[in-house]
Amino acid sequence: MRIFDSLVSRLVVALIVVTVAFGVVAAATGSYTLQREINEAMDSSMQEAARRLLPLVIDDLFERDEPQSPRRLAEAVSEDDGGRLVFQVRNGEGRVLMGSYSAPVEPLTQGLAQGFSEQAGWRVYTEPAVSGSLFVQVAERDAHRNEETLEAATGFLVPMIILTPLSAIVAWLSLAHSLRPIAALRNEIKARHGDHLAPIRTEDLPSELAAIATSVNSLMQRLDMALDAEKEFTANAAHELRTPIAGALAQTERLIAEATDEAGRKRPHQIKAALSHLARLSEKLMQLARADAGIAAGGKASDLASVAAFVVSDFEQHGENRGRLRLEAPAKGRTQVPIDPDALAIVLRNLIENALLHGAENTQVVVRVGDDVALSVINEGPVVPATTDLVKRFERGATRAAGSGLGLAIVNRILQQVGATLVLNSPASGQKDGFEATVRFQPPGVSAA
């Protein structure tokens, strides 16, 4: 899954991007302000140092004869400044009369104008005295100032760099916790299907999600009403059609019997074939209505081998099916499956009808009950592509045989109610062609979801 497929990921990334962007702007603005304030503080320190030095220098110079060479003091200006500042005392002609130990020998500046100036990597403050005959200059290297500014900026940039990923983790956890109701709502909606359209509880949901859940409940209510109407219509239509179809078939048989020649019987035979197809369709619609009504979930269990033997025996009562079915069932052992016997019989009948109808002529259909309580119906015939589409209603494969396209849909609908699965394979297992339908039931004691 890509990171931006998640709503939490998108929100966290957006939050971090915005936070970092504002943090960078704030850091740049803060650094500029911090540098300005530090420079102002250091300039004030230089002014204060110059004004403190001024009376001391004057007293020292006037108590002594004017020296021929500059005097150098062994100590810095003050212990508070930590040796950062250096000073020079110059006369009106610019000659250096006195300087601190670490001050350069040459004059710090060319001119002697009062105030601050920049000269060869030094920040210099000049203070005049004695009517401009003496000047005290206090200086500090720019590298020292930059170092102080960098240390101060690092003081608030490092926590920001450390806290940014930490804030991302906290934001991720907070958003994941806050968005849990979305996952709960998604699971509730996912659990709804044609047999489970109960309304979703909205009491524990946030107001934004409660509105969505209310809309989904309204949609499911309309869907439930539509499904009920469809089931009722299907059942009623199939039931009401049975009697008139049976009457029409009886009249058609009479027309065939009363016809005097083959030409006179042709049209009644065509009518009989159409009515027979309509009768089979009506029967399938009745089975579909029973499947939609939940016939399989009756809480009863069935013996798979016994029901299979009964259905196979019933098919063989018809002459055209005699000798075409072969039942393979274990001689010993229980073959109990969690499905209503009537529903299991409908499943078997539809699978066997499909195999007989669409399988190769004059070939056997194998009905196999495995030791793992699985049911397989296997027939010979050409390979059938796209077997997964055959469980859709009114979906038929490439065949000319008569049929309604409802048999496998009915089987699949019934098996869904008991948690069983229908697996279609073509070619059949271990063969080059043919078709195999396998039903796998859940182990005993396991209920359907």
Side-chain angles (χ1 to χ4, degrees), residues 176-380:
H177 178 75
S178 300
L179 294 179
R180 280 182 182 175
I182 295 180
L185 178 60
R186 178 194 62 196
N187 293 333
E188 288 289 336
I189 295 175
K190 185 178 180 180
R192 266 54 179 180
H193 49 77
D195 294 328
H196 179 43
L197 294 175
I200 299 171
R201 290 177 53 87
T202 60
E203 292 80 2
D204 300 330
L205 293 175
S207 57
E208 296 85 357
L209 297 181
I212 297 176
T214 302
S215 299
V216 172
N217 287 339
S218 177
L219 176 62
M220 288 194 300
Q221 184 179 11
R222 295 195 299 270
L223 179 61
D224 191 29
M225 294 173 61
L227 290 175
D228 287 342
E230 179 186 354
K231 294 174 185 177
E232 185 176 358
F233 172 78
T234 302
N236 291 339
H239 180 75
E240 295 298 330
L241 284 174
R242 296 178 70 182
T243 300
I245 291 174
L249 278 171
Q251 294 297 324
T252 305
E253 293 285 353
R254 186 171 180 179
L255 287 175
I256 294 173
E258 291 177 353
T260 57
D261 54 9
E262 190 63 30
R265 296 189 186 95
K266 183 177 180 180
R267 184 60 59 83
H269 274 298
Q270 293 175 344
I271 297 174
K272 179 181 178 182
L275 289 173
S276 297
H277 174 72
L278 187 59
R280 288 193 298 271
L281 178 59
S282 174
E283 182 65 26
K284 293 299 180 186
L285 290 175
M286 285 290 294
Q287 292 180 0
L288 183 60
R290 295 183 67 189
D292 286 337
I295 181 178
K300 300 178 182 179
S302 306
D303 184 88
L304 181 57
S306 299
V307 175
F310 175 79
V311 173
V312 169
S313 176
D314 183 62
F315 268 96
E316 289 185 336
Q317 297 300 318
H318 303 279
E320 66 272 17
N321 298 329
R322 191 164 299 163
R324 290 198 61 191
L325 293 173
R326 185 173 83 245
L327 176 63
E328 298 179 359
K332 297 181 180 180
R334 298 175 61 85
T335 55
Q336 295 290 322
V337 288
I339 184 174
D340 183 84
D342 289 340
L344 179 58
I346 292 176
V347 168
L348 277 164
R349 290 194 67 86
N350 279 282
L351 293 178
I352 294 174
E353 282 178 1
N354 270 2
L356 292 172
L357 187 62
H358 302 293
E361 295 183 3
N362 302 321
T363 58
Q364 277 195 332
V365 173
V366 178
V367 180
R368 180 178 298 146
V369 178
D371 293 330
D372 55 350
V373 198
L375 170 68
S376 297
V377 178
I378 308 167
N379 63 269
E380 298 180 16

Side-chain angles (χ1 to χ4, degrees), residues 38-290:
I38 290 176
N39 285 334
E40 290 180 358
M42 290 182 174
D43 286 347
S44 298
S45 176
M46 292 173 65
Q47 286 179 316
E48 184 68 22
R51 289 166 183 169
R52 288 183 180 182
L53 279 169
L54 198 56
L56 299 176
V57 169
I58 292 173
D59 289 342
D60 185 71
L61 289 176
F62 279 96
E63 287 179 359
R64 302 171 181 267
D65 294 332
E66 184 176 350
Q68 297 300 317
S69 61
R71 295 177 56 203
R72 300 186 66 82
L73 302 182
E75 294 183 358
V77 175
S78 68
E79 293 295 333
D80 294 338
D81 292 323
R84 294 187 297 107
L85 302 180
V86 298
F87 78 93
Q88 287 181 347
V89 179
R90 300 168 65 183
N91 60 15
E93 288 77 23
R95 187 166 62 88
V96 177
L97 304 178
M98 184 185 300
S100 62
Y101 179 77
S102 55
V105 177
E106 290 75 13
L108 289 168
T109 61
Q110 296 295 327
L112 291 171
Q114 182 180 8
F116 291 94
S117 61
E118 298 285 343
Q119 187 73 33
W122 291 91
R123 175 77 168 172
V124 183
Y125 176 71
T126 303
E127 180 74 20
V130 194
S131 301
S133 61
L134 287 177
F135 294 85
V136 176
Q137 290 186 316
V138 179
E140 181 181 19
R141 287 193 176 275
D142 291 335
H144 291 163
R145 292 192 168 214
N146 294 335
E147 183 180 354
E148 294 291 336
T149 303
L150 180 61
E151 290 179 356
T154 304
F156 68 87
L157 286 176
V158 169
M160 180 181 295
I161 295 173
I162 296 175
L163 290 176
T164 296
L166 182 61
S167 65
I169 296 174
V170 173
W172 188 288
L173 296 176
S174 300
L175 285 172
H177 178 75
S178 300
L179 294 179
R180 280 182 182 175
I182 295 180
L185 178 60
R186 178 194 62 196
N187 293 333
E188 288 289 336
I189 295 175
K190 185 178 180 180
R192 266 54 179 180
H193 49 77
D195 294 328
H196 179 43
L197 294 175
I200 299 171
R201 290 177 53 87
T202 60
E203 292 80 2
D204 300 330
L205 293 175
S207 57
E208 296 85 357
L209 297 181
I212 297 176
T214 302
S215 299
V216 172
N217 287 339
S218 177
L219 176 62
M220 288 194 300
Q221 184 179 11
R222 295 195 299 270
L223 179 61
D224 191 29
M225 294 173 61
L227 290 175
D228 287 342
E230 179 186 354
K231 294 174 185 177
E232 185 176 358
F233 172 78
T234 302
N236 291 339
H239 180 75
E240 295 298 330
L241 284 174
R242 296 178 70 182
T243 300
I245 291 174
L249 278 171
Q251 294 297 324
T252 305
E253 293 285 353
R254 186 171 180 179
L255 287 175
I256 294 173
E258 291 177 353
T260 57
D261 54 9
E262 190 63 30
R265 296 189 186 95
K266 183 177 180 180
R267 184 60 59 83
H269 274 298
Q270 293 175 344
I271 297 174
K272 179 181 178 182
L275 289 173
S276 297
H277 174 72
L278 187 59
R280 288 193 298 271
L281 178 59
S282 174
E283 182 65 26
K284 293 299 180 186
L285 290 175
M286 285 290 294
Q287 292 180 0
L288 183 60
R290 295 183 67 189

